[in-house]
Amino acid sequence: MQSGPTLEIVVERSGNSAVLTPKGDVDMARSPVLRKAIGDAMKSSPDRLVLDLSAVSYMDSSGLATLVEALQNSRKGAVPLSLCALTPRVRSILEIARLNTVFSLFDSREQALAS
Amino acid sequence: MTAVTAPSPVHLQILSRPELLASVRGVAQDLAHRCGLDDIASCHFILAMDETLTNVIRHGYEGRDDGMIWIRLEPMECSDGLRAVIEDRARTVDPASLQGRDLEDVKPGGLGMHLMRTLVDRFEHTPREGGGMRVVLEKRAAA
């Protein structure tokens, strides 16, 4: 697990889709970094936004709130949002919060981009 | 024959700063594994503890970064598992007033209390003698 408030986020384009890959724990100190990166990506008007969560091993309720806010904004902007490659830990957290049925979840980035 | 001893309790004292929570999680992760919790159970215990600490910082100390928080992590006596006792000197909150949101009402926020109550086997939230709050969390290893 990481220490410190930094969260590395790799931002990529795949065609007209934006793919964000946060690397590290998404907690109270770091979720604002993810929120800003998602907001910036939305401003570029992609056809689709994919969050690759393969490198996130921990997420707290502030991280979940960031995802829910992103989903609401994606619906307002008519930009589909997909989550992919969730680690077992993060998937279990989404399930307990009953958010696994709210988001479009995919096993891999390729599947998310092809959907 | 090798004697198997339970891990020693760990006492932590931190200031109410969000950037310190990752270090607390690291200590709890190590102890949770040594207390027999598997990876998912460890994650759930740590998340419940983390949500408790976040609540203390955000609501108890109202975002102040100079509040004191005491955390005791200890193996459970009668079974594999881990207990956390978290105490603060923040404002006293009526436990009955703490309600999570309805999970069917999907919106940002309001999940912390739900997570604290459902991720562990015991969640006890009481006023602390001398001021502040005392929270006890327990997670047993799967049989």
Side-chain angles (χ1 to χ4, degrees):
Chain A
M1 291 188 180
Q2 285 186 331
S3 60
T6 59
L7 177 71
E8 181 189 353
I9 300 177
V10 177
V11 181
E12 300 166 280
R13 295 289 289 205
S14 177
N16 290 326
S17 298
V19 182
L20 270 59
T21 307
K23 297 188 172 185
D25 297 357
V26 181
D27 64 1
M28 182 188 185
R30 301 188 188 96
S31 57
V33 181
L34 179 59
R35 181 177 295 113
K36 182 176 185 311
I38 293 171
D40 289 345
M42 292 288 284
K43 284 178 193 164
S44 68
S45 303
D47 289 346
R48 169 184 302 281
L49 180 61
V50 175
L51 292 183
D52 181 339
L53 298 178
S54 57
V56 175
S57 60
Y58 178 81
M59 181 176 288
D60 73 0
S61 66
S62 68
L64 295 176
T66 300
L67 296 185
V68 171
E69 185 182 325
L71 180 65
Q72 292 178 334
N73 289 337
S74 78
R75 287 175 175 166
K76 280 182 201 162
V79 178
L81 171 68
S82 302
L83 311 183
C84 70
L86 280 67
T87 59
R89 285 175 154 224
V90 170
R91 182 177 285 274
S92 79
I93 293 166
L94 275 177
E95 288 170 353
I96 285 170
R98 295 189 210 160
L99 292 171
N100 55 313
T101 57
V102 174
F103 287 96
S104 298
L105 304 181
F106 296 91
D107 289 339
S108 70
R109 175 191 297 213
E110 291 72 25
Q111 290 173 348
L113 289 170
S115 64
Chain B
M1 186 172 158
T2 305
V4 178
T5 56
S8 301
V10 175
H11 297 255
L12 302 170
Q13 178 176 317
I14 64 167
L15 290 171
S16 52
R17 296 180 179 172
E19 66 270 23
L20 299 177
L21 299 185
S23 300
V24 177
R25 291 199 299 271
V27 173
Q29 176 74 73
D30 177 60
L31 198 56
H33 280 158
R34 291 195 287 135
C35 287
L37 298 186
D38 64 25
D39 193 54
I40 295 295
S42 298
C43 175
H44 290 179
F45 175 83
I46 288 165
L47 180 53
M49 180 192 72
D50 208 34
E51 293 296 335
T52 303
L53 294 169
T54 296
N55 256 14
V56 171
I57 294 170
R58 186 175 286 161
H59 302 297
Y61 285 116
E62 298 175 310
R64 276 175 38 214
D65 66 2
D66 60 349
M68 200 60 76
I69 304 172
W70 296 270
I71 305 150
R72 187 171 78 243
L73 295 163
E74 57 193 12
M76 289 172 63
E77 296 84 359
C78 301
S79 63
D80 282 350
L82 184 58
R83 175 186 301 115
V85 181
I86 298 168
E87 297 183 276
D88 64 64
R89 275 199 303 242
R91 69 189 180 91
T92 302
V93 179
D94 176 6
S97 71
L98 298 173
Q99 297 291 331
R101 68 164 165 79
D102 179 356
L103 293 185
E104 303 306 318
D105 179 18
V106 178
K107 61 184 180 185
L111 286 169
M113 186 54 64
H114 170 74
L115 294 174
M116 280 185 268
R117 287 190 168 134
T118 58
L119 289 170
V120 290
D121 298 303
R122 177 186 173 204
F123 173 82
E124 188 180 284
H125 189 259
T126 55
R128 172 177 173 267
E129 195 172 321
M133 299 300 294
R134 181 177 190 270
V135 176
V136 179
L137 306 167
E138 289 182 356
K139 184 77 174 175
R140 288 187 292 275

